[in-house]
Amino acid sequence: MKEREPKIIAFCCHYCAFTAADLAGTMRQQYPTNIHIVRLPCTGKVHVNMLLQAFVDEADGVMVAGCEIGSCHFLEGNARAVKRVTLAKEKLQEVGINPERLEMYYIPASEGPLFARSAQEFTDKIKQLDGSKEAETDKGEVPDQDTGQGKGKKDKSQCCK
Amino acid sequence: MDKNKTSSNSNLEQVLQSGEFALTGELGPPKSADRNNILEKANYLKGYVDAANITDNQTAIARLSSIASGVICLEQGLEPVVQITTRDRNRLAIQSDVLGAAALGIKNILCLSGDHQSFGNHPAAKNVFDIDSVQLINMLYKMREQQQFECGDMIRNGKKGPVVEPKIFIGAAANPFAEPLDFRVMRLEKKINAGADFIQTQVIYNMERFSRWMEEVRERGLHKKVYILAGVTPLKSAKMAKYMKDNVSGISFTEDIVKRMEEAEDQKAEGRQIALEQIAELKKMEGVHGVHLMAIGGEKSVPGIAEEAGLLPRPDFNKQ
Amino acid sequence: MIVSEQKPFQQIFDFVKDYNNILVMGCGTCMTVCMAGGENEAGVLSKQLKLAARQENRNIEIEELTLTRQCDREFFDEDATEKINRAEMVLSLGCGVGVQYIVELFPDVIVRPGVNTKFFGANISQGLWSERCAGCGECVLDEYEGICPIARCAKSLMNGPCGGSSHGMCEIDPENTECGGQLIYDRFKRLNKLDKLMEYKPAKNWSTARDGGPRRVAREDMMFDEEKENN
């Protein structure tokens, strides 16, 4: 069976993570092609509503990638972002989605390889989470290990939009 | 306080008026309808104290009513000081209870705001606090002295009915150890002005602080306006001392008391010894008119302590 | 302002169990400022409901709408009316007033509360609110130099703090709740008016508070003539 590629949204800040992603490309560093990068002026722009919208729009995982702590171009945008990511994780947990599907990363502009590695690791983790869920679904077992409470993500074709 | 005329004819009031150093005890009603529990405790205290203070749903735990317990004590020949808190009842219920208590022969009432319900076994209860303890004192005073309800109506059953007001000896609590410290004597004075006849203080484990408070009391001449009963509770163990020191607001310990308890071989005996020393000191202190001995769960020990403290025999004005 | 807190998600999700067409209504005034039920919270909650329903293979339609105020008729415009009438159930993130007001305006619509309405309070610091007023109907702040004993003392003691005052804090919550009596004392001390604290404060008349029954305020000068007749 061919492995399904998960859909991953990466909210990247313009000054660091996005530049690093660009650099990774220039350096011909391989990273998964299923990552959809959304460029933000700063991760301080991220809010919970936006993160949850990504999941409503059928993302399997969401990365938020900003500058290193202490080197935000807007001083503390990334520090704010991580608080919102933490809250969004709680909100995901409440609805029965594994909060590990959302992660905060700090990637300096010069670290193309770190971006590629983080993207790869995150994709692998999401695949693993999806895999364990499919295994559960195959066995017809509830509750889902993924969430510990939900019944597993439904077939996307039936999703409401 | 008028030394020539009694306001209530209660034994406690007469003991205090006579100038005798008073001794009151504490009786906690049971968490059941067990009448025998009260009889047993009353028998320990009867004849050894001038009156027994009966708690009203102490620490916000539902217990047999203080008035009912008081009546059972009366039947046994032990004079009760019935506590009334403003936590559980509004001005209607309290006045009704005061009339009822007076009709049943109760003559002393101690006015309290009461522990907040969050400390008790019904933290989900709605509290009342229609009035506060100072307003409660004033309400009883007005009932007794002006024969009026809080609303101003006369205490009589219809226009032609006789005026039968509750003749209550009005008690209040004072805490010399709570904060703001500077306000504590002022608050005592407020209670006296509102109509308090006698005061029971918080238990003393810091005699220095208590002495200073008494100094302030004397400076303002308050000891001549009200009878002060100093609170004494024998410590049972060093553990109890530490617990109270760390967890109970409004209680103050001097280090030496905790130390004495910790170092004692027989902690219970040491606690009793400390209490005896305190009583001896309080007897000599100007403006202290008696001791309120709160032996928590230890009513049995009261006669022995009273004996050793030289407070026996007790006068009995009700029999004279 | 009125301060609220969002209800636990599971409780809200239980409300929508039998409905597939929901309008999540935020409120643009107090609930926005206390971050319990403004436009942003309505958005987050809508997304959560969609995701949670999806976990149960349920298809629910959710609309979002945030009015400037849910307690004022003038903000229920045509758009709002249409959306409310279209929904099977309205989840109001307004305070208790908003929920009831929608019911009054739209008697056939099912409305559920999304927040627990807490108190009249102030914003102390970012993310922290604290109660200041109990709405007793007859303000006594003049007598207490601007600190309310009714709202700020756990026992509403009007004649000074009880024995549970310790280090400036109230014994019911020594970590977070200040002793109202201590605050009043400090204030009078600062103003050199401690003698004023000796004044006896008589029992309060609670008939102006909720105890007197549901209250209303009528301003005839502001009413339209036809409303005057109705009132």
Side-chain angles (χ1 to χ4, degrees), chain B residues 110-130:
Chain B
L110 186 78
C111 303
L112 301 169
S113 60
D115 295 310
H116 194 265
Q117 77 279 2
S118 58
F119 293 104
N121 60 355
H122 293 81
K126 186 180 196 303
N127 63 36
V128 180
F129 297 119
D130 172 27

Side-chain angles (χ1 to χ4, degrees), chain A residues 47-50 52-53 55-58 90-92 94-97 133 144 147 149-156 158-161, chain C residues 6-10 13 39-62 64 126:
Chain A
H47 52 79
V48 179
N49 213 340
M50 177 193 270
L52 295 189
Q53 184 65 49
F55 286 97
V56 170
D57 291 341
E58 302 178 8
E90 285 172 25
K91 300 276 174 194
L92 288 175
E94 284 173 352
V95 305
I97 292 176
K133 187 158 61 187
D144 186 354
T147 65
Q149 47 180 312
K151 286 177 191 159
K153 215 182 235 177
K154 65 180 277 195
D155 179 359
K156 294 271 171 73
Q158 289 174 26
C159 278
C160 59
K161 251 331 282 283
Chain C
Q6 202 168 97
K7 279 180 172 286
F9 178 76
Q10 195 53 51
F13 191 53
E39 191 171 7
N40 190 29
E41 290 75 26
V44 171
L45 187 60
S46 301
K47 269 131 218 143
Q48 276 195 292
L49 290 171
K50 272 185 203 172
L51 290 169
R54 191 184 285 172
Q55 295 290 104
E56 294 183 349
N57 292 336
R58 271 179 62 210
N59 189 3
I60 58 173
E61 290 290 334
I62 294 182
E64 295 169 30
Q126 189 161 313

Side-chain angles (χ1 to χ4, degrees), chain C residues 78-90:
Chain C
E78 260 178 56
D79 175 56
T81 304
E82 198 187 309
K83 284 179 171 158
I84 292 168
N85 281 325
R86 198 161 59 212
E88 276 184 284
M89 188 260 254
V90 174

Side-chain angles (χ1 to χ4, degrees), chain B residues 91 113-114 116 118-119 129-132 134-135 138 178-180 182-184 186-187 189-190 249-250, chain C residues 155 157-163 165-167 171-172 182 185 189 194 197-204 206:
Chain B
R91 62 192 84 175
S113 60
H116 194 265
S118 58
F119 293 104
F129 297 119
D130 172 27
I131 54 176
D132 67 21
V134 184
Q135 292 158 353
N138 195 244
E179 289 164 16
D182 302 341
F183 184 63
R184 289 299 150 183
M186 290 173 74
R187 186 158 155 87
E189 191 166 354
K190 279 188 97 159
S249 290
Chain C
K155 302 180 186 172
L157 302 181
M158 303 182 73
N159 283 288
C162 71
S165 175
S166 182
H167 306 293
E171 64 178 342
I172 65 154
Q182 174 85 50
Y185 174 84
K189 194 171 181 183
L194 276 183
L197 277 187
M198 282 306 299
E199 276 172 24
Y200 169 70
K201 302 292 180 191
K204 188 172 165 63
W206 295 106

